[in-house]
Amino acid sequence: MNSTRRTYALSDPHGHLAPLEQAMRIVDLDGDPDASLVLLGDYINRGPDSLGVLNAVRRTVLAHPDRAVALLGNHEVAFLEWLADDEGHADGWLLEDPELLTLRSMLDEAELQAVISAHVTVEAAGVALKQTLRDRHGELLRWLQRLPLTYETEHAIYVHAGVDELAGADWRAFTPDHFFTHKFPASTGRFVKTIIAGHVRAGTL
C-alpha cells in the first residue's frame, strides 16, 4: 500500500452491513485518491448479514489493492478453525454465533434445515454444514484464509487486538499469533510505533 495523506481504520462491523457501508462512504476510496483504509477484522457474528459484510470488505480490497487492506479478527480466526476441523474440536465457534446468524446469512433457511435434519448427530451435521459452506462460498473462504493478522506502515501498526509490547521493536517476531487477534485487555502507553486496534469498546453511552 502506498503512503497517503489519510489512512482510515474501521473495525468490528460484526455482520452489520449498513453501518459499514455508511462508514466506507465517508472514507470514499473511489472519490478520494489520497485516502486509504485498513479494516481491522471481526466482520462476522452477532449481526444479520455476515456474508454481506465479508463480500463488501472483499470487493473493497480487490478494487483498491494499493489503498485498502483487510486483517483477520478473532471471530474470523475462530470461524476458520471451526471450518477446517471435522473432528469437533473447534465447535466453540458456534457459541459465538447466537441463533446461527452467520450460518443463516451464508445459507438459505431451507438449505440449512435440510442439512441439519439429514444428520442424526450434531457432529455429523457440523461436518455437512462445513462442506456445504465450502461448496457454496469456496472462493470467498479461500480469500478469507489468506488475510494477514497485521499491517505496518512507517509510523503505525494496525492489528485487530494488540501486540506484545514487551518485545519492543521485535514485536513482530515475538508476539504470539493469538495476541494479534485475542489480546485483552488493551494496553496503553508509549511504544515504538502507534498501535491502531479494534477488538474492545472505545467507550460507553
Side-chain angles (χ1 to χ4, degrees):
M1 188 184 297
N2 296 328
S3 175
T4 59
R5 288 188 296 169
R6 284 179 297 279
T7 300
Y8 298 84
L10 297 175
S11 188
D12 295 73
H14 278 298
H16 294 281
L17 180 59
L20 175 65
E21 290 179 330
Q22 182 179 9
M24 289 202 290
R25 283 194 294 271
I26 295 171
V27 175
D28 190 18
L29 289 175
D30 291 323
D32 184 357
D34 289 329
S36 62
L37 173 64
V38 183
L39 294 133
L40 300 174
D42 276 8
Y43 312 114
I44 66 171
N45 294 356
R46 299 180 182 165
D49 197 2
S50 290
L51 178 61
V53 169
L54 286 174
N55 281 328
V57 170
R58 181 171 179 266
R59 283 195 303 270
T60 299
V61 171
L62 293 180
H64 304 279
D66 58 334
R67 293 189 292 127
V69 63
L71 306 179
L72 289 173
N74 57 295
H75 285 260
E76 288 79 52
V77 168
F79 170 64
L80 290 172
E81 288 175 349
W82 172 78
L83 193 66
D85 172 35
D86 285 335
E87 302 298 325
H89 302 307
D91 283 348
W93 172 76
L94 290 174
L95 300 177
E96 299 292 331
D97 190 23
E99 301 177 22
L100 302 183
L101 290 179
T102 300
L103 291 179
R104 284 190 160 92
S105 77
M106 295 182 168
L107 305 172
D108 62 54
E109 190 65 25
E111 187 175 30
L112 179 63
Q113 293 303 324
V115 172
I116 293 173
S117 62
H119 297 84
V120 176
T121 67
V122 173
E123 291 78 9
V127 170
L129 282 172
K130 294 168 192 178
Q131 188 57 53
T132 302
L133 288 171
R134 295 184 197 108
D135 293 342
R136 175 72 75 88
H137 303 293
E139 185 175 350
L140 177 65
L141 295 174
R142 287 188 291 273
W143 168 82
L144 188 64
Q145 290 170 332
R146 293 193 297 268
L147 293 187
L149 298 177
T150 67
Y151 173 69
E152 186 176 6
T153 65
E154 182 181 358
H155 300 292
I157 299 163
Y158 295 84
V159 64
H160 178 68
V163 306
D164 184 357
E165 290 92 337
L166 295 178
D170 296 320
W171 65 270
R172 184 180 289 278
F174 293 107
T175 299
D177 282 354
H178 72 271
F179 268 50
F180 295 136
T181 54
H182 291 74
K183 186 182 180 207
F184 186 85
S187 300
T188 59
R190 297 184 64 83
F191 192 56
V192 294
K193 292 186 178 183
T194 299
I195 299 173
I196 310 295
H199 191 52
V200 299
R201 296 181 185 275
T204 56
L205 297 177

